[in-house]
Amino acid sequence: MTTIFSLSSSSSSFLTTVKPLKPFSSQKPKKPTLHLTKSVLSSTTETSSTVLTSFWQWVCDKGVISNKSPSIKPGIVPEGLGLIAQRNISRNEVVLEVPKKFWINSDTVAASEIGKFCGGLKPWVAIALFLLREKSRKDSPWRSYLDILPNTTNSTIHWSEEELSELQGTQLLSTTIGAKDYVQSEFLNVEEEIILPNKHMFPSITEDDFLWAFGVLRSRAFSRLRGENFVLIPLADLINHDPSITTEDSSYEIRGGGLFSRELLFSLRSPVSVEAGDQVLIQYDLQKSNAELALDYGFTELRSDRNTYTLTLQISESDPFFEDKLDIAESNGLNETAYFDFILGNSLPPALLPYLRLVALGGTDAFLLESIFRNNIWDFLELPISRANEELICQAIRDTCSTALSGFGTTIEEDEKLLEGGNLDPRLEVAVRVRAGEKKILEQIDGIFKDRELELDVLEYYQERRLKDLGLVGEQGDIIFWEPK
């Protein structure tokens, strides 16, 4: 019987290693063309103590900090800027509360002089335009806050072509290119529809500026808040990350200002005890991979479970059983395309094998797709279906791993030697850790399916299990033939 898809190292109709892009959209990545021109942004410089003092004075004058003896204060730290404890702080103590009138969100944009031009835009695009508009104004009421924003970060979206070449073969590279392409696409749309027709309101905004605003929002905005997709919180967004903090509890929330107040407050807590003079730190997100941390913030962690790799599986529309397979996938919480994240050192994602077997199902096994099996087929797919089906998925995964590994420019051993040597440029260290982590996962996946290939002759398949259920197979696996008396 003919299989329903082709599986080779060069082409697979159901499996890919391209990681889905998640900037503020699910667009597929493709190589961007960026045009860098004169920008409204100043050259990259470290934040001076004068600028920081001005910002702190602005914070106090505006009433962002209402307490005369604040528990935290902004300061210059190794990461750039951070929040410094002014006294000993207890675990889970509230260290900062910022009223809504000092947030920068969609409401802020709507109430501003560019609000009438931004209706219907994606929230992040509207906020990006607001930041750039205010940054171009010398008399902006947000000037003191804008002056402390970094002109660039170590996020991979700001890396040079030479630096990005160190990510050769990684999913992070394709995601970074996709993110830049996404920003370019959004910029071209908003340039045509809003910026150019209203030059008096949006002077000299370039694509490079727009990428900067995207990076600011990606790295500094708070999300998953009550009623807020994301929002910039001046002062609070100086909080830095501590990898040693592993609590699942969020360190921030939006809450009411009091029993008789309707004003909302952004409340920031310290997840650990802090001594006076030390930084107040939080955990940004335990679920983010090193690649995501690198894309958003420009750093990685040493924890092995931060290393992930995403395989994308798809039921081909040319599959003669496409509709049946899609129905089964959707009935079990999956779809035509499914993404499976592999974590270094962890077992296979739970639904991976059933979905693989479903996608590969064909030939003499296709009878399982008939409607009479519909309520039970996912249970069947939890276990091997046939030797041909199991062998096919092993070959597909191993071919995919082999192809992906061949795309890297270095070996794991070469990467580890670089890391052991130390004194790496921060961006190079990020690149080496990400690419080494991805390769280790690919080798781990390949090893799992290599071992599985060696077990193909001893695995128990659907037909054998079915015969056992009917009492037609003996203890030694021999088929029982009933003879008439």
Side-chain angles (χ1 to χ4, degrees), residues 41-319:
L41 307 181
S42 60
S43 60
T44 302
T45 56
E46 293 184 1
T47 303
S48 68
S49 58
T50 302
V51 170
L52 189 59
T53 300
S54 175
F55 170 68
W56 180 242
Q57 188 63 51
W58 177 81
V59 165
C60 296
D61 291 346
K62 290 292 185 181
V64 178
I65 291 288
S66 57
N67 194 330
K68 294 182 179 180
S69 301
S71 56
I72 54 92
K73 189 175 181 179
I76 297 174
V77 298
E79 297 90 338
L81 295 179
L83 298 180
I84 309 299
Q86 300 302 292
R87 56 173 174 76
N88 291 344
I89 293 173
S90 303
R91 179 177 178 271
N92 285 331
E93 181 180 342
V94 173
V95 297
L96 179 64
E97 291 185 327
V98 181
K100 186 176 182 179
K101 60 184 177 181
F102 301 115
W103 306 352
I104 299 178
N105 59 6
S106 296
D107 292 339
T108 311
V109 180
S112 73
E113 60 184 358
I114 68 168
K116 61 182 179 181
F117 304 109
C118 296
L121 292 179
K122 294 181 178 68
W124 83 263
V125 173
I127 297 174
L129 287 178
F130 176 82
L131 289 177
L132 294 170
R133 161 68 179 165
E134 294 302 309
K135 198 169 182 66
S136 68
R137 295 176 55 198
K138 292 182 179 179
D139 61 345
S140 170
W142 298 92
R143 171 55 52 197
S144 295
Y145 171 64
L146 295 169
D147 284 346
I148 69 162
L149 295 179
N151 292 308
T152 189
T153 70
N154 278 330
S155 164
T156 54
I157 65 172
H158 298 303
W159 289 17
S160 68
E161 290 297 322
E162 182 180 358
E163 289 165 335
L164 287 175
S165 70
E166 297 293 343
L167 293 172
Q168 177 186 336
T170 66
Q171 292 188 325
L172 174 57
L173 177 58
S174 61
T175 305
T176 299
I177 292 173
K180 293 173 73 173
D181 184 50
Y182 169 72
V183 174
Q184 182 195 43
S185 175
E186 291 295 330
F187 173 75
L188 292 176
N189 288 335
V190 79
E191 181 184 43
E192 179 182 358
E193 297 174 7
I194 295 176
I195 296 175
L196 293 180
N198 303 283
K199 286 185 176 181
H200 64 292
M201 298 300 295
F202 304 100
S204 305
I205 293 180
T206 69
E207 191 172 316
D208 197 25
D209 298 334
F210 204 64
L211 183 65
W212 169 84
F214 173 86
V216 165
L217 292 173
R218 183 100 192 187
S219 63
R220 305 178 79 87
F222 292 90
S223 59
R224 299 194 300 273
L225 294 167
R226 186 178 71 182
E228 295 287 340
N229 290 326
F230 57 92
V231 54
L232 283 173
I233 312 286
L235 187 60
D237 63 0
L238 298 184
I239 193 78
N240 286 316
H241 170 82
D242 183 355
S244 68
I245 297 174
T246 57
T247 175
E248 293 281 357
D249 298 331
S250 176
S251 299
Y252 51 86
E253 63 180 344
I254 289 178
R255 64 179 188 81
L259 184 61
F260 301 105
S261 173
R262 293 184 178 181
E263 185 174 35
L264 295 178
L265 299 171
F266 174 88
S267 179
L268 179 68
R269 300 188 308 275
S270 173
V272 295
S273 300
V274 182
E275 294 185 1
D278 291 341
Q279 268 199 87
V280 178
L281 301 163
I282 63 172
Q283 166 62 237
Y284 281 178
D285 193 332
L286 284 173
Q287 305 307 314
K288 284 189 175 181
S289 67
N290 268 338
E292 291 172 314
L293 292 175
L295 180 68
D296 290 351
Y297 313 112
F299 64 77
T300 57
E301 285 190 7
L302 297 179
R303 285 172 39 199
S304 62
D305 61 357
R306 287 286 195 183
N307 294 303
T308 67
Y309 198 89
T310 301
L311 286 184
T312 304
L313 302 177
Q314 186 172 37
I315 305 170
S316 173
E317 291 187 3
S318 63
D319 189 326

Side-chain angles (χ1 to χ4, degrees), residues 242-459:
D242 183 355
S244 68
I245 297 174
T246 57
T247 175
E248 293 281 357
D249 298 331
S250 176
S251 299
Y252 51 86
E253 63 180 344
I254 289 178
R255 64 179 188 81
L259 184 61
F260 301 105
S261 173
R262 293 184 178 181
E263 185 174 35
L264 295 178
L265 299 171
F266 174 88
S267 179
L268 179 68
R269 300 188 308 275
S270 173
V272 295
S273 300
V274 182
E275 294 185 1
D278 291 341
Q279 268 199 87
V280 178
L281 301 163
I282 63 172
Q283 166 62 237
Y284 281 178
D285 193 332
L286 284 173
Q287 305 307 314
K288 284 189 175 181
S289 67
N290 268 338
E292 291 172 314
L293 292 175
L295 180 68
D296 290 351
Y297 313 112
F299 64 77
T300 57
E301 285 190 7
L302 297 179
R303 285 172 39 199
S304 62
D305 61 357
R306 287 286 195 183
N307 294 303
T308 67
Y309 198 89
T310 301
L311 286 184
T312 304
L313 302 177
Q314 186 172 37
I315 305 170
S316 173
E317 291 187 3
S318 63
D319 189 326
F321 306 108
F322 174 77
E323 294 295 338
D324 290 322
K325 291 183 178 182
L326 179 58
D327 180 55
I328 292 167
E330 290 178 339
S331 297
N332 290 277
L334 297 167
N335 213 317
E336 175 183 351
T337 302
Y339 305 104
F340 294 94
D341 293 330
F342 294 79
I343 300 174
L344 185 60
N346 287 17
S347 56
L348 297 176
L352 173 70
L353 286 175
Y355 193 86
L356 270 171
R357 292 175 182 134
L358 173 66
V359 174
L361 204 62
T364 57
D365 299 323
F367 73 93
L368 290 171
L369 296 170
E370 294 180 9
S371 58
I372 60 171
F373 297 106
R374 195 55 50 92
N375 293 332
N376 305 105
I377 187 169
W378 198 258
D379 292 333
F380 298 156
L381 294 169
E382 294 279 359
L383 298 170
I385 296 298
S386 68
R387 193 187 193 285
N389 181 274
E390 204 72 8
E391 184 175 24
L392 195 56
I393 66 175
C394 288
Q395 290 175 348
I397 293 292
R398 296 202 64 198
D399 286 348
T400 298
C401 290
S402 176
T403 300
L405 285 166
S406 69
F408 291 93
T410 59
T411 65
I412 293 175
E413 292 71 26
E414 289 171 335
D415 290 340
E416 291 182 336
K417 187 174 181 180
L418 282 172
L419 293 172
E420 289 170 3
N423 298 319
L424 294 178
D425 173 86
R427 293 185 177 182
L428 177 57
E429 183 175 353
V430 166
V432 174
R433 291 196 183 283
V434 169
R435 73 194 189 202
E438 289 195 11
K439 281 178 280 193
K440 288 177 181 179
I441 297 172
L442 285 166
E443 288 195 351
Q444 173 184 304
I445 298 169
D446 181 70
I448 291 173
F449 283 88
K450 179 181 179 181
D451 291 343
R452 197 161 192 84
E453 279 185 324
L454 298 175
E455 299 174 345
L456 291 175
D457 290 333
V458 297
L459 291 175

Side-chain angles (χ1 to χ4, degrees), residues 5-63:
F5 47 78
S6 63
L7 293 174
S8 67
S9 59
S10 61
S11 174
S12 171
S13 61
F14 81 103
L15 199 152
T16 176
T17 59
V18 175
K19 188 173 183 178
L21 171 65
K22 302 175 186 175
F24 296 113
S25 157
S26 58
Q27 279 193 349
K28 293 183 179 179
K30 56 184 178 181
K31 190 172 182 179
T33 304
L34 294 178
H35 306 283
L36 305 183
T37 58
K38 187 176 179 181
S39 167
V40 300
L41 307 181
S42 60
S43 60
T44 302
T45 56
E46 293 184 1
T47 303
S48 68
S49 58
T50 302
V51 170
L52 189 59
T53 300
S54 175
F55 170 68
W56 180 242
Q57 188 63 51
W58 177 81
V59 165
C60 296
D61 291 346
K62 290 292 185 181

